[in-house]
Amino acid sequence: MALVSSANISCGFHAGDVALSARTIDLALEHNVAIGAHPSFDDKANFGRTPMALSPNAVFDLVLYQCGAIKALVEARGGVLHHVKPHGALYNQAAQDADLAGAIAKAVKALDPKLKLYGLAGSLSLQAAQNIGLESVSEVFADRRYLSDGSLMPRSQPGAVLSDDDEVQAQVLAMVQRGEVIAANGQPVALAAQTLCLHGDNAHALSLAKRLHQRLGALGIHIEAP
């Protein structure tokens, strides 16, 4: 927690439970980390990473239910929910599905119009938020490989998850300093980097976070929540 400025906290549908969410919220508050609700499909068996076909109305309720629970836990502790960032398959499907993206944005705004919605850089998720006057934050990924259309390489493909420290640092600096990422085919892709995601379930997450924090700081790049 001391190495990050924002934390996307599971709502229990893809991982964890109420006790773990509450403990993570406590840690975030202790370290003055901006708290985000991390809703997903109801899919613990597959860590929320299996695509599902749900109606926009069902997605609206699913997101509102999960984020409302996290918001209540945060506020009961004297904190403020800062943002919402969908997880896994829900996040990736919304990036390319206008109806799904719209349902998520509407659920976030219905819960609290002051919340920010984190979404994949250049995606329909950001556009859906902007369409209804909800603040959006363009997200890039430290530890995921990109395709030439700006989407994330599916985890089922070899090399989709980055763990090599030098490779991760090079990708992060390209995104932060030049506003681009080199896709899997070698093509540069322009993207806007407002928040940088590092997955907590990456086996090298802690070491990567330490090195990135050190490297960005050495370059005079200040890390703070949007």
Side-chain angles (χ1 to χ4, degrees):
M1 280 293 180
L3 298 170
V4 300
S5 58
S6 302
N8 305 310
I9 299 178
S10 168
C11 306
F13 275 40
H14 69 275
D17 53 29
V18 175
L20 187 57
S21 294
R23 177 171 173 267
T24 310
I25 288 167
D26 289 337
L27 284 171
L29 292 172
E30 179 183 342
H31 291 276
N32 295 313
V33 171
I35 296 171
H38 202 31
S40 70
F41 288 131
D42 190 359
D43 179 33
K44 265 192 177 177
N46 301 295
F47 201 68
R49 288 178 174 153
T50 298
M52 292 188 176
L54 299 182
S55 70
N57 286 341
V59 169
F60 177 93
D61 291 338
L62 185 79
V63 171
L64 187 60
Y65 181 86
Q66 293 179 72
C67 296
I70 294 295
K71 187 172 188 285
L73 288 171
V74 173
E75 292 180 352
R77 288 160 166 77
V80 176
L81 187 64
H82 175 264
H83 66 275
V84 171
K85 184 236 169 122
H87 166 81
L90 179 62
Y91 180 97
N92 290 324
Q93 285 180 234
Q96 300 180 339
D97 184 321
D99 291 336
L100 193 58
I104 293 171
K106 289 173 185 176
V108 173
K109 187 173 183 179
L111 180 62
D112 185 346
K114 298 187 295 295
L115 288 168
K116 299 171 177 60
L117 179 62
Y118 286 17
L120 183 68
S123 71
L124 294 178
S125 297
L126 301 182
Q127 187 61 55
Q130 294 161 13
N131 289 345
I132 61 171
L134 185 69
E135 184 175 354
S136 63
V137 179
S138 178
E139 182 175 45
V140 296
F141 289 80
D143 56 358
R144 291 295 308 280
R145 198 175 304 281
Y146 283 77
L147 299 178
S148 58
D149 64 354
S151 64
L152 300 177
M153 177 182 282
R155 285 176 175 268
S156 58
Q157 296 184 20
V161 178
L162 307 180
S163 58
D164 178 77
D165 184 75
D166 291 337
E167 191 173 18
V168 168
Q169 288 197 47
Q171 175 159 298
V172 167
L173 292 180
M175 294 188 294
V176 172
Q177 295 181 312
R178 302 198 304 272
E180 69 175 26
V181 68
I182 303 303
N185 66 355
Q187 177 182 339
V189 179
L191 42 72
Q194 292 179 297
T195 185
L196 175 70
C197 176
L198 178 63
H199 286 91
D201 68 320
N202 186 316
H204 304 275
L206 184 56
S207 61
L208 291 173
K210 287 178 178 177
R211 290 291 300 278
L212 283 172
H213 196 274
Q214 181 182 43
R215 182 73 182 277
L216 293 172
L219 292 170
I221 298 169
H222 181 63
I223 301 171
E224 64 179 13

